[in-house]
Amino acid sequence: MQALSTLILIDKDSVQPVYLQIANQLMVFIKEGNLQAGHRLPSTRQMADWLTVHRKTVIQAYDELLAQGWLESRTGSGTYVARHLPEMHPRSLLNGAARSVNPAHTAGFEFEALPHLAQPTVFSKNKYHLDDGFPDSRLAPLEELARAYRSQLLTGNPYVRLGYGDTHGSLWLRQVLADYLNDTRGLKITPENVLITRGTVMGLYLSCTAFLKPGDIAVVGELNYNGANMNFLQAGARLVKIPVDEHGIVVEALADICRKQRIRMVYITSHHFYPTTTALRADRRIELLRLAEQYGFIIFEDDYDYDFHYLSKPLLPLASADKAGVVLYCGSFTKTISPAFRVGYLVASENVIHHLAQLRRIIDRQGDILLENAIAELLQNGIIQRYLRKSMRTYRQRRDVFCELLTANLGDHVQFQVPVGGMAVWTHFDPAVNLPALARKALQHDLYFSPGYRNEERSPVLNATRLGFASSTPDELASCVEILRKLLCS
């Protein structure tokens, strides 16, 4: 024990009390088998002499270990390592040295690292960015939102306000949101048809978990949002991909599949197809709904940026024409206000919403009720509606400026169609351009953009990418294009 005591290191400058430093290091000796069950510890006076600390400090250390059950006191005999502890052996030696194990780095158990989860999390801190199509948070009604959030934080019954709420989400937000979606999307819903989520991805995850079994077929476009593909694969579904053209997914190909095998779910971004931003043509919308009703599959409609359509009144979502209850309609405020505000919604039949709310409870007891109520206040007062009208004019101007800049400066290197909506331009680069290399060079000039579209980790990178324009001012967009021009012409 005297030899072990020389290994106890005391840092009197540490914020941790000395007695806890002693107790914790003695605990390690016991865990590693250097102090076996039943071993008698030296007296507190003897240990204090060895460690050159006050006896009361050692008494506190022993008392701490006694309280935790590592030690036991025998009247008239002394303090011992607890007898009830299992026999522990010192760490085995490998080639004469203790085997080095760092549990903070590597777990002591095996698990499968699934390839579909091996996707980088992209976030840019660069001065310039042509992102995936994000809003400009500088335009968001942050002062109004801050006031509304503060009001929710400080007023009302604190037990109710700061306690547990409904797993469906804020009732106030569901009421206001139902009215808003009925007015703007042509839906015919009540608050009972709405589940508040932390974003579209959460709604998709809940839906996949609830309604897909291993082996079920989920149909997506050949080009598709990779986050959706990851969710389907995580649920054990079998992905079947169908062609995509300038009008969205080819529904005729879906009909052929339906005649041969049972489909469980179809994922669609019908308004501004991801990644190409095209809208699903009217006849295909009608046929898709007809097929869903005929063959009984679910349509998951991800309407990620419905509010930003620049030519005319936006096409109503599939959910507005759903007479058979086959559509799960999902949207979010992350593309409306800012990705930092994790408030989304899923609309479906009442029994589906009830089922998903029960499932949601086991992964996320509830959302941010204060934020949800603050959003409800802004919606009810028309603040978000005014913000959307203003930001749509701004984003339309930025789209026009950006497309003109691309044509004037990069016309020999890129091809694109001016998007009718959304916040990004689907851009094809000349085959001679090494897009990943161009993206790496751009980073050296403080410009971020995606190094080419990849549908999944194992698929090849297309020489095309989404260049987001909404989050940058016209001057910033000009700087972005100038950087690209210089790099392509060098």
Side-chain angles (χ1 to χ4, degrees):
M1 186 65 228
Q2 185 174 6
L4 283 176
S5 69
T6 63
L7 300 177
I8 296 177
L9 303 178
I10 296 174
D11 180 4
K12 295 188 177 180
D13 294 326
S14 172
V15 295
Q16 187 178 58
V18 172
Y19 83 92
L20 280 181
Q21 295 181 46
I22 297 171
N24 289 339
Q25 291 177 72
L26 287 174
M27 190 190 307
V28 170
F29 293 157
I30 296 171
K31 287 180 178 180
E32 294 185 347
N34 295 305
L35 290 177
Q36 292 289 334
H39 183 92
R40 185 178 184 276
L41 269 64
S43 67
T44 54
R45 189 183 305 280
Q46 181 67 68
M47 181 67 85
D49 288 343
W50 289 345
L51 299 179
T52 62
V53 296
H54 198 282
R55 182 188 176 198
K56 289 185 178 179
T57 302
V58 178
I59 291 173
Q60 281 184 290
Y62 281 16
D63 286 346
E64 179 69 22
L65 294 175
L66 285 166
Q68 293 188 31
W70 293 101
L71 302 180
E72 61 186 20
S73 178
R74 302 179 193 173
T75 303
S77 179
T79 304
Y80 295 78
V81 177
R83 286 173 293 184
H84 62 78
L85 295 176
E87 183 179 357
M88 301 179 189
H89 300 282
R91 287 184 297 170
S92 61
L93 298 180
L94 185 62
N95 297 328
R99 183 181 302 164
S100 177
V101 177
N102 183 359
H105 182 263
T106 304
F109 55 88
E110 294 183 354
F111 60 93
E112 182 181 3
L114 300 173
H116 64 264
L117 298 179
Q119 301 294 325
T121 301
V122 178
F123 55 93
S124 170
K125 295 183 179 179
N126 300 87
K127 180 178 180 180
Y128 301 112
H129 39 79
L130 298 172
D131 50 45
D132 194 54
F134 301 147
D136 190 342
S137 300
R138 293 169 293 188
L139 304 179
L142 299 181
E143 292 185 5
E144 295 89 339
L145 183 59
R147 284 196 294 269
Y149 194 92
R150 177 180 172 82
S151 175
Q152 291 299 316
L153 190 63
L154 299 178
T155 60
N157 184 333
Y159 183 82
V160 175
R161 185 179 71 248
L162 303 177
Y164 284 113
D166 192 338
T167 53
H168 291 73
S170 159
L171 176 59
W172 185 14
L173 179 56
R174 288 187 288 125
Q175 290 170 334
V176 176
L177 193 56
D179 292 338
Y180 174 73
L181 295 177
N182 289 341
D183 291 341
T184 60
R185 269 75 159 170
L187 304 185
K188 300 176 180 62
I189 59 172
T190 71
E192 301 304 313
N193 299 115
V194 181
L195 175 72
I196 304 301
T197 66
R198 290 189 183 269
T200 303
V201 172
M202 182 179 183
L204 181 58
Y205 176 82
L206 290 172
S207 299
C208 289
T209 303
F211 305 125
L212 291 178
K213 297 177 181 178
D216 281 350
I217 293 177
V219 175
V220 300
E222 284 180 333
L223 300 178
N224 193 48
Y225 172 45
N226 194 45
N229 293 356
M230 291 169 64
N231 269 281
F232 293 131
L233 293 172
Q234 183 65 22
R238 183 159 63 92
L239 274 184
V240 174
K241 298 179 181 180
I242 57 176
V244 175
D245 62 18
E246 67 272 19
H247 302 298
I249 62 168
V250 178
V251 179
E252 292 83 353
L254 176 63
D256 290 340
I257 297 172
C258 288
R259 287 189 284 267
K260 298 173 185 176
Q261 48 193 329
R262 185 176 183 273
I263 292 173
R264 180 56 173 164
M265 187 178 290
V266 173
Y267 174 84
I268 184 70
T269 47
S270 59
H271 197 220
H272 301 135
F273 185 78
Y274 188 96
T276 65
T277 74
T278 58
L280 187 64
R281 203 168 59 190
D283 61 317
R284 296 188 182 184
R285 292 166 173 261
I286 295 171
E287 179 63 8
L288 179 56
L289 285 169
R290 188 192 68 78
L291 289 173
E293 184 173 357
Q294 179 181 352
Y295 292 101
F297 60 76
I298 301 166
I299 299 173
F300 189 97
E301 185 175 17
D302 180 352
D303 209 356
Y304 64 98
D305 58 1
Y306 176 90
D307 294 295
F308 302 113
H309 196 79
Y310 308 122
L311 293 184
S312 59
K313 186 176 180 180
L315 294 170
L316 293 178
L318 291 170
S320 67
D322 178 21
K323 306 299 182 184
V326 294
V327 177
L328 305 179
Y329 179 73
C330 206
S332 158
F333 288 99
T334 62
K335 287 294 182 70
T336 301
I337 301 176
S338 171
F341 300 112
R342 308 306 302 168
V343 177
Y345 50 87
L346 190 146
V347 175
S349 304
E350 289 184 16
N351 61 334
V352 168
I353 294 300
H354 178 69
H355 181 62
L356 292 177
Q358 290 180 317
L359 176 62
R360 182 247 180 90
R361 180 171 184 167
I362 67 174
I363 64 166
D364 184 27
R365 172 60 179 80
Q366 66 187 53
D368 185 341
I369 297 297
L370 299 178
L371 178 59
E372 292 172 15
N373 283 336
I375 295 289
E377 181 177 328
L378 266 57
L379 266 177
Q380 189 173 69
N381 294 338
I383 293 172
I384 287 181
Q385 293 87 327
R386 289 194 296 274
Y387 157 74
L388 286 173
R389 290 192 293 269
K390 178 182 177 181
S391 58
M392 186 171 69
R393 292 192 298 270
T394 300
Y395 294 159
R396 180 169 52 206
Q397 178 200 21
R398 293 180 181 182
R399 178 206 62 174
D400 294 343
V401 168
F402 185 54
C403 290
E404 290 172 2
L405 287 167
L406 288 178
T407 301
N409 295 275
L410 306 180
D412 294 336
H413 304 283
V414 301
Q415 290 183 340
F416 64 92
Q417 295 290 329
V418 178
V420 297
M423 293 181 278
V425 177
W426 176 242
T427 310
H428 290 267
F429 281 73
D430 187 276
V433 176
N434 185 327
L435 195 50
L438 179 65
R440 288 193 296 271
K441 291 178 182 178
L443 286 175
Q444 298 173 8
H445 296 268
D446 220 9
L447 167 62
Y448 165 80
F449 68 92
S450 172
Y453 177 79
R454 188 193 292 268
N455 196 39
E456 56 189 31
E457 183 61 24
R458 291 164 293 178
S459 66
V461 176
L462 298 178
N463 223 42
T465 191
R466 284 167 62 91
L467 299 179
F469 56 82
S471 59
S472 301
T473 66
D475 288 343
E476 291 166 343
L477 291 171
S479 297
C480 293
V481 174
E482 179 62 16
I483 292 171
L484 289 176
R485 187 192 67 80
K486 289 181 178 179
L487 290 174
L488 288 169
C489 296
S490 61

